[in-house]
Amino acid sequence: MTTVAHTHDTIDSPFALSHLDSLESEAVHIFREVAGEFERPVILFSGGKDSIVMLHLALKAFAPAAIPFTLLHVDTGHNFPEVIEYRDRVVAEHGLRLYVASVQEYIDAGKLRERPDGTRNPLQTVPLTEAIQQHRFDAVFGGGRRDEEKARAKERVFSLRDEFSQWDPRRQRPELWQLYNGRHAPGEHVRVFPLSNWTELDVWQYIAREGIELPEIYFAHEREVFARNGMWLTAGEWGGPKESETVEKRLIRYRTVGDMSCTGAVDSDATTLDAVIAEIAASRLTERGATRADDKMSEAAMEDRKREGYF
Amino acid sequence: MSTSTEQFADVSATTLLRFATAGSVDDGKSTLVGRLLHDSKSVLTDQLEAVEAASIQRGQDAPDLALLTDGLRAEREQGITIDVAYRYFATARRRFILADTPGHVQYTRNMVTGASTAELAVVLVDARNGVVEQTRRHAAVAALLRVPHVVLAVNKMDLVDYAEPVFAAIAEEFTTYASELGVPEITAIPISALAGDNVVEPSANMDWYGGPTVLEHLETVPVSHDLTACHARFPVQYVIRPQTAEHPDYRGYAGQIAAGAFRVGEEITVLPSGRTSTITAIDALGTGLGSNTAVDIAWAPQSVTIRLADDIDISRGDLLAPSGDAPATSQDVEATVCHVADQPLTVGQRVLLKHTTRTVKAIVKEIPSRLTLDDLSQHPNPGQLVANDIGRVRVRTAEPLALDAYADSRRTGSFLLIDPADGTTLAAGMAGESFATAKAVVAGDDEDGWDF
């Protein structure tokens, strides 16, 4: 047995699992429950670290067979090229099927309008929900973690959504033991969050333990950025910088990967996993607080978006 | 991307403790949770700034730590907590998942939800009031759900001059009561969540107390039990059959070991069919991608894949157990249930019963009694159970189930009742005997309730 199953905490029995083994076992159980109970599950895959960890867990859960899920990427059109390159490479490597729902196509077709602030994250909801309906997905895996945000702290592992993908926090099913209730009517679907109980640090420790490869933007590198709303944004065709904003070259890395227009970089010289883990362990800022503009829009920004169908 | 194994070992070889807090409105639960999060440095600067900003906007003088935990718009607007929330914090020794269960609304089902996965429950008592009805309810739910460890946190000790006799009397009364209900381990700790006494730091005001602080206890309480004493149980979740050139004959039964341990070479019985075979391989989740790790032994709650010597008919919903220690199967389930839905559960109702990975049709044959948690009195034949009721039920299932007593296995002794029409989770069931089985006592017979 090569996994770290034992602990140097002498008070626990030799059968106590390490916290990473506990979280991994739970997540794998969730993936297998969905495979056993649903017809058309899909994994939301953005090329970000949480979705990469989800994919890794899914591959382990069904080994040596292929994973019985497809992937779906809601593409805002403002992607980091390194992430798209990573996404396509992973899909090819594992022989997966990837659907892409494109925000840009919705804008070009006049079905969505660009926001004045250029932020496209909130625009993902419509292509996401329409892709779910179009492909009749009945279970949609998301990499959301309860530690990310206080509205997410209230989220179930199996979260029932109506035909409009809406989340109603007051009408959630109580979730008891490990008995997940995935019953749903036609047209409804269930959002599933296998990483619910993971923290940002757990995700990084697991990436280190498993030797999972990530897009390079998660590690410190020199990049042309400019300051907006207290964050470093990458300059690019998506619409930054404005005339009043100046570009400078800085040593930065990303803690989260999302739309370029609202994902901020942090100053960092962490070029290795060890250095990243040390940096996160010492950070006094949450992942989203440090790097996400869209959560700062209002006190309930995440809750409001989730209610509309955001993941 | 290099990993120094030493550092990795330092940060990852900690264990995980799931615990729940139980508290009523004014006993200081939010303060305790806030202090645990804050003093373990799990509240980060931007969260604190957000709370400060929101508090100022509301015209409050000091940051309201309850805003850290009340995540929903309606909760903040109304200043109440609607639902169970899960919170995460860590120390160098352990990781914690806290099920923060609100005391006000829909009380019982929230605590049942939080306690179902908890290995420890913290019951808060206001030192000025001592053991009250609410406290007895908390103890009863913890006992019913068979939470292995219970901490009685006697809070607001600062308001009773940190007096030892006050604490000792409350601790004794609670311990006697909870032990009667079958709570196996009770640790009483005198605290002041507001002043920080004995929460994270030992109190200078109570030198008469020689026990651990709340955090110290959370860090050191054992998280797993003697597996050799548990009946081994493996519900089959999914059958893995790659049918590839590389693995033409691989047929593995994937699942999470629900209880006990399984070994290669062991003879197992498949339930409900009763067929037997021998374990030829156990594939555990290896480190790194694409490969499983063959192991000789695996134990709860590991997710593994088991392979057998014989190609017998096994599918999702079946249960593997050692042949010498297999549970009986039955279509008649007797259980204590907590009703968690707004629509009632009635005699004659057709439901679905979800037990481990198996969901079967069932019918509610009888509701022999309903329990009043306040005084543990029983009301015979209530006809129905409504939200937050706890009662006994008799259910007949369409297919046989291999159900353990909840007292023997929380995982294979628990089940859900589900409304087949709309999928609503109706009730949380615990099979077999519990203190709610005790002979019905007519309410009002004993006016003081269980006053030991």
Side-chain angles (χ1 to χ4, degrees):
Chain A
M1 178 108 201
T2 51
T3 48
V4 184
H6 298 255
T7 159
H8 37 229
D9 228 341
T10 50
I11 48 149
D12 287 318
S13 89
F15 294 113
L17 298 190
S18 77
H19 83 276
L20 286 181
D21 283 335
S22 299
L23 293 172
E24 180 188 56
S25 180
E26 178 182 71
V28 164
H29 175 251
I30 293 162
F31 276 109
R32 289 167 171 176
E33 279 299 283
V34 170
E37 298 227 318
F38 291 82
E39 296 292 324
R40 294 176 65 84
V42 68
I43 299 177
L44 292 176
F45 187 77
S46 64
K49 66 180 186 311
D50 298 313
S51 61
I52 290 170
V53 166
M54 275 207 299
L55 183 61
H56 181 89
L57 288 161
L59 286 161
K60 281 179 106 167
F62 302 99
I67 60 169
F69 311 128
T70 52
L71 304 185
L72 172 66
H73 182 209
V74 183
D75 182 343
T76 64
H78 290 163
N79 295 293
F80 294 93
E82 299 95 322
V83 176
I84 294 298
E85 185 272 324
Y86 178 95
R87 178 195 79 183
D88 294 340
R89 190 157 43 80
V90 167
V91 166
E93 203 174 302
H94 298 292
L96 300 163
R97 174 183 290 197
L98 171 77
Y99 293 104
V100 177
S102 162
V103 173
Q104 187 65 52
E105 280 175 22
Y106 273 73
I107 292 172
D108 294 345
K111 290 200 273 184
L112 277 179
R113 207 183 323 160
E114 194 91 73
R115 297 161 49 98
D117 62 4
T119 296
R120 285 190 172 179
N121 228 23
L123 300 184
Q124 290 181 88
T125 302
V126 171
L128 169 66
T129 55
E130 290 196 5
I132 291 168
Q133 297 301 321
Q134 184 197 335
H135 297 289
R136 291 179 290 113
F137 294 128
D138 54 2
V140 180
F141 288 103
R145 307 188 319 262
R146 289 175 181 147
D147 83 317
E148 281 181 87
E149 210 276 337
K150 54 196 171 185
R152 284 208 166 144
K154 302 264 170 178
E155 179 67 273
R156 299 292 186 262
V157 174
F158 273 40
S159 178
L160 183 66
R161 304 299 173 98
D162 66 13
E163 57 186 314
F164 302 103
S165 285
Q166 294 178 116
W167 182 64
D168 184 349
R170 296 188 132 174
R171 298 191 58 81
Q172 300 189 88
R173 291 172 178 163
E175 207 156 65
L176 297 120
W177 298 287
Q178 286 81 12
L179 290 167
Y180 302 111
N181 177 358
R183 308 275 309 176
H184 61 283
E188 296 177 341
H189 70 277
V190 174
R191 298 280 171 93
V192 183
F193 301 99
L195 306 184
S196 285
N197 287 324
W198 297 49
T199 64
E200 183 187 16
L201 195 56
D202 297 328
V203 167
W204 278 102
Q205 286 175 358
Y206 188 72
I207 287 167
R209 183 181 95 170
E210 299 286 306
I212 300 171
E213 192 203 335
L214 292 181
E216 284 302 319
I217 65 170
Y218 279 112
F219 299 94
H221 57 291
E222 280 210 328
R223 199 178 190 94
E224 290 199 328
V225 292
F226 65 91
R228 183 182 291 175
N229 299 330
M231 292 188 308
W232 296 115
L233 298 185
T234 293
E237 284 176 14
W238 59 266
K242 295 177 196 157
E243 269 180 35
S244 56
E245 296 163 333
T246 46
V247 171
E248 56 183 295
K249 204 165 217 179
R250 294 186 76 89
L251 188 60
I252 55 96
R253 68 174 202 89
Y254 284 86
R255 272 174 83 172
T256 67
V257 167
D259 187 89
M260 279 172 106
S261 62
C262 66
T263 306
V266 293
D267 287 315
S268 169
D269 56 6
T271 55
T272 64
L273 282 169
D274 280 353
V276 169
I277 289 170
E279 186 182 284
I280 290 164
S283 174
R284 299 302 302 148
L285 288 178
T286 63
E287 182 178 343
R288 293 204 156 252
T291 65
R292 287 299 178 100
D294 44 341
D295 291 338
K296 294 181 179 169
M297 289 173 191
S298 83
E299 208 184 338
M302 173 70 89
E303 179 186 348
D304 293 344
R305 275 183 293 140
K306 277 170 66 66
R307 280 175 178 275
E308 286 167 18
Y310 191 78
F311 48 89
Chain B
M1 279 190 258
S2 67
T3 313
S4 105
T5 38
E6 200 179 326
Q7 174 171 2
F8 155 62
D10 275 344
V11 289
S12 78
T14 54
T15 48
L16 189 64
L17 179 78
R18 293 169 198 253
F19 75 106
T21 52
S24 38
V25 186
D26 293 317
D27 57 15
K29 185 175 69 70
S30 294
T31 317
L32 176 65
V33 170
R35 185 159 287 282
L36 278 172
L37 293 175
H38 185 268
D39 290 5
S40 65
K41 299 188 170 51
S42 301
V43 180
L44 300 184
T45 311
D46 55 319
Q47 293 172 314
L48 211 51
E49 281 170 1
V51 165
E52 280 163 6
S55 303
I56 289 167
Q57 207 175 338
R58 285 177 171 70
Q60 289 162 321
D61 299 337
D64 180 359
L65 282 179
L67 292 174
L68 276 174
T69 51
D70 288 346
L72 302 173
R73 195 180 273 283
E75 291 177 323
R76 287 190 298 275
E77 282 165 5
Q78 299 169 40
I80 58 160
T81 314
I82 289 173
D83 207 336
V84 182
Y86 293 88
R87 325 230 160 256
Y88 304 83
F89 66 101
T91 65
R93 302 174 77 167
R94 197 169 260 179
R95 296 268 161 151
F96 301 97
I97 299 177
L98 159 59
D100 188 6
T101 68
H104 313 48
V105 195
Q106 299 156 345
Y107 165 76
T108 307
R109 71 175 168 198
N110 284 330
M111 190 182 163
V112 166
T113 299
S116 72
T117 51
E119 300 209 57
L120 180 146
V122 178
V123 174
L124 264 120
V125 167
D126 184 327
R128 295 168 301 176
N129 306 329
V131 174
V132 294
E133 232 170 64
Q134 190 81 316
T135 320
R136 278 194 274 269
R137 231 176 278 167
H138 296 152
V141 172
L144 200 60
L145 272 289
R146 305 194 76 85
V147 180
H149 309 276
V150 170
V151 171
L152 173 74
V154 181
N155 192 22
K156 306 194 184 181
M157 287 299 293
D158 52 322
L159 300 182
V160 294
D161 298 326
Y162 296 106
E164 183 179 12
V166 175
F167 168 73
I170 295 170
E172 197 192 331
E173 185 182 351
F174 181 85
T175 304
T176 310
Y177 180 78
S179 306
E180 287 280 333
L181 294 174
V183 174
E185 194 199 274
I186 300 145
T187 304
I189 305 175
I191 68 167
S192 166
L194 196 65
D197 293 286
N198 288 336
V199 178
V200 173
E201 299 296 331
S203 169
N205 298 310
M206 291 180 274
D207 48 15
W208 47 264
Y209 173 73
T213 64
V214 173
L215 187 65
E216 213 178 307
H217 183 67
L218 293 173
E219 282 183 315
T220 53
V221 72
V223 290
S224 57
H225 312 286
D226 184 10
L227 289 172
T228 52
C230 297
H231 307 289
R233 300 289 185 256
F234 183 78
V236 175
Q237 259 191 300
Y238 192 78
V239 182
I240 294 179
R241 288 182 63 208
Q243 294 177 293
T244 54
E246 203 185 336
H247 303 280
D249 303 318
Y250 187 100
R251 187 186 176 89
Y253 305 101
Q256 188 173 28
I257 298 174
F262 285 87
R263 289 168 184 79
V264 170
E266 194 167 25
E267 195 196 323
I268 55 93
T269 297
V270 183
L271 296 166
S273 75
R275 293 187 185 90
T276 59
S277 187
T278 307
I279 297 176
T280 52
I282 301 174
D283 298 325
L285 305 170
T287 300
L289 239 205
S291 62
N292 290 322
T293 305
V295 293
D296 293 329
I297 178 172
W299 56 88
Q302 289 179 321
S303 280
V304 297
T305 306
I306 289 179
R307 286 185 277 161
L308 301 175
D310 308 281
D311 218 0
I312 49 181
D313 177 17
I314 299 174
S315 58
R316 175 174 169 84
D318 287 338
L319 184 89
L320 309 188
S323 292
D325 182 27
T329 60
S330 167
Q331 285 177 254
D332 293 294
V333 178
E334 282 204 47
T336 302
V337 299
C338 175
H339 194 70
V340 296
D342 292 330
Q343 64 237 54
L345 184 76
T346 54
V347 173
Q349 193 170 341
R350 287 177 188 279
V351 295
L352 294 170
L353 188 154
K354 180 166 180 147
H355 169 244
T356 67
T357 55
R358 192 177 187 85
T359 303
V360 299
K361 288 181 180 174
I363 188 161
V364 179
K365 285 291 189 190
E366 207 182 330
I367 302 179
S369 60
R370 184 173 60 80
L371 181 75
T372 299
L373 274 180
D374 304 345
D375 58 1
L376 300 181
S377 64
Q378 307 231 18
H379 303 261
N381 301 312
Q384 65 170 24
L385 296 175
V386 299
N388 298 308
D389 277 354
I390 285 173
R392 293 287 295 174
V393 296
R394 291 206 180 99
V395 176
R396 171 86 180 166
T397 59
E399 298 165 44
L401 291 178
L403 205 69
D404 283 298
Y406 186 77
D408 292 333
S409 167
R410 291 172 90 187
R411 192 92 183 235
T412 53
S414 57
F415 61 85
L416 302 180
L417 296 183
I418 295 169
D419 185 334
D422 61 6
T424 302
T425 299
L426 295 171
M430 290 152 278
E433 306 287 305
S434 74
F435 60 76
T437 322
K439 201 172 169 293
V441 179
V442 180
D445 225 23
D446 177 0
E447 296 214 347
D448 296 329
W450 288 44
D451 196 3
F452 295 102

